[in-house]
């Protein structure tokens, strides 16, 4: 069964049960995939986690019902899966910008999050360079944080993490210990319906991992090591240049929406890796020229379908 049509069946199941308890396991079954694969692909194609999509659709319908004066606030909270009117009001204000009771007043403005429909378009065909590569097991050591939403560029939470002086020092220390100042590894793992873990670091020699206490001292408590098993990846890379960080988000989507459906592969239950390459051009004083050779590699773990 084509997994794109399966994803649409999962979306239909979610829409039909917005006023009921929604099982991610059942949605994945509709999509003929594992829960992990379903959540990964949903996030990449739709740009939102499954949990976020459900919340926004429920709040949209709740707003419409309240505006039409067809339901009480307390009944809307229960109908759309909130434990209490207070939690419903908090979520409603965050999305619509007004309280649920205010939404019942004539002429108020509400927000709407439209139902999603997955379509793979054949218009505007593009050329994408990729390779299928088997990589050995590796360990990436670095700073780890849990981020909400889907992996799509650097979120505010990640920017806040990088602004801290001690974390900046640790990143430089990791690069030095790895003897690799030209590459930075971003490992995406533990993807679920609401967010994911992101580890930013490098591949350290065994010596440094075994003697971490001596090499980074008190900063050891900031570090996390992620074990990545031997794995087959589809590897795609951006063009060179200062805009490669922005471009890699669209490339990731293209791999899943254009290449994956006809490849005979599905995403496997393993960490995803993004490698940022910073070839050294230290003699250049102009930032754009110095970063003219920068590029990003995306490693998506795959396995044979079926």
């Amino acid at each position: 069964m084509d997994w794109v049509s399966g994803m649409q069946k999962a979306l239909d199941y979610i829409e039909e049960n917005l006023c009921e308890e929604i099982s991610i396991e059942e949605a994945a079954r509709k999509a003929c995939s594992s829960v992990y694969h379903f959540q990964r692909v949903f996030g990449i194609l739709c740009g939102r986690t499954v949990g976020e999509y459900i919340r926004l659709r429920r709040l949209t319908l709740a707003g419409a019902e309240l505006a039409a004066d067809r339901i009480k606030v307390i009944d809307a909270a229960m109908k759309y899966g909130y434990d209490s009117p207070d939690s419903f009001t908090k979520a409603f204000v965050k999305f619509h910008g007004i309280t649920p009771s205010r939404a019942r007043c004539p002429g108020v403005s509400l927000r709407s999050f439209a139902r999603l429909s997955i379509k793979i378009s054949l218009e505007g065909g593009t050329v994408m360079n990729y390779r299928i590569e088997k990589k050995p097991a590796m360990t990436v050591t670095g700073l780890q944080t849990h981020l909400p939403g889907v992996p799509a560029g650097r979120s505010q939470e990640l920017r806040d993490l990088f602004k801290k002086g001690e974390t900046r020092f640790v990143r430089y220390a990791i690069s030095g210990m790895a003897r690799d100042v030209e590459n930075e590894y971003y490992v995406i793992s533990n993807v679920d319906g609401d967010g994911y873990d992101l580890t930013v670091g490098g591949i350290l020699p065994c010596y440094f991992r075994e003697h971490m206490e001596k090499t980074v001292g008190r900063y050891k408590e900031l570090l996390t090591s992620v074990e990545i098993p031997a794995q087959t990846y589809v590897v795609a890379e951006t063009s060179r240049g200062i805009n490669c960080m922005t471009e890699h988000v669209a490339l990731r989507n293209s791999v899943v929406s254009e290449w994956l459906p006809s490849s005979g592969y599905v995403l496997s239950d393993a960490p995803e890796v993004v490698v940022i390459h910073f070839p050294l051009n230290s003699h250049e004083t102009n930032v754009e020229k110095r970063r003219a050779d920068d590029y990003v590699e995306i490693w998506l773990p795959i396995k044979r379908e079926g």
Side-chain angles (χ1 to χ4, degrees), residues 6-31:
M7 289 292 290
Q8 186 59 59
K9 289 182 182 294
L11 276 172
D12 293 341
Y13 161 75
I14 290 172
E15 288 292 328
E16 292 164 3
N17 292 276
L18 285 173
C19 297
E20 308 292 338
E21 184 176 352
I22 295 175
S23 166
I24 301 299
E25 290 76 12
E26 177 62 17
R29 190 187 69 80
K30 296 284 186 182

Side-chain angles (χ1 to χ4, degrees), residues 54-102:
I54 293 171
R55 285 193 296 271
L56 295 182
R57 287 294 296 142
R58 283 175 169 168
L59 289 168
T60 295
L61 297 183
E65 286 204 59
L66 288 167
D69 201 20
R70 295 197 301 263
I71 195 171
K72 296 179 179 179
V73 173
I74 188 170
D75 294 332
M78 294 181 62
K79 181 176 181 179
Y80 290 103
Y82 288 85
D83 296 331
S84 68
D86 287 343
S87 60
F88 173 65
T89 297
K90 183 178 180 180
F92 195 93
V93 170
K94 185 176 181 180
F95 178 62
H96 289 287
I98 59 173
T99 63
S101 57
R102 176 66 179 161

Side-chain angles (χ1 to χ4, degrees), residues 51-194:
E52 186 180 10
Y53 176 80
I54 293 171
R55 285 193 296 271
L56 295 182
R57 287 294 296 142
R58 283 175 169 168
L59 289 168
T60 295
L61 297 183
E65 286 204 59
L66 288 167
D69 201 20
R70 295 197 301 263
I71 195 171
K72 296 179 179 179
V73 173
I74 188 170
D75 294 332
M78 294 181 62
K79 181 176 181 179
Y80 290 103
Y82 288 85
D83 296 331
S84 68
D86 287 343
S87 60
F88 173 65
T89 297
K90 183 178 180 180
F92 195 93
V93 170
K94 185 176 181 180
F95 178 62
H96 289 287
I98 59 173
T99 63
S101 57
R102 176 66 179 161
R104 304 181 69 179
C105 299
V108 297
S109 177
L110 294 170
R111 298 182 68 195
S112 176
F113 181 75
R115 173 177 180 167
L116 285 173
S117 179
I118 295 179
K119 296 179 180 179
I120 302 300
S121 175
L122 296 180
E123 297 179 1
T126 57
V127 176
M128 179 178 66
N129 295 322
Y130 73 92
R131 63 186 183 273
I132 295 175
E133 189 172 332
K134 291 185 178 180
K135 294 187 178 292
M138 65 188 79
T139 301
V140 173
T141 300
L143 303 167
Q144 185 177 92
T145 186
H146 184 77
L147 297 174
V150 297
R154 297 191 176 190
S155 67
Q156 184 61 49
E157 290 88 349
L158 192 57
R159 286 194 291 271
D160 291 343
L161 175 69
F162 285 170
K163 286 179 181 177
K164 297 179 181 178
E166 61 182 3
T167 57
R168 188 179 297 114
F169 167 79
V170 170
R171 290 173 68 203
Y172 291 147
I174 289 291
S175 295
M177 288 187 289
R179 298 185 177 89
D180 185 0
V181 297
E182 297 189 24
N183 302 300
E184 191 166 57
Y185 290 78
Y186 286 59
V187 181
I188 298 166
S189 58
N190 298 324
V191 177
D192 59 27
D194 293 300

Side-chain angles (χ1 to χ4, degrees), residues 222-254:
L222 297 175
L223 299 177
T224 299
S225 290
V226 179
E227 303 291 338
I228 303 175
Q231 177 67 45
T232 299
Y233 294 91
V234 53
V235 179
E237 61 183 57
T238 66
S239 57
R240 268 62 169 172
I242 197 168
N243 295 320
C244 62
M245 282 301 297
T246 303
E247 184 183 323
H248 96 275
V249 178
L251 177 61
R252 182 172 179 265
N253 185 284
S254 295

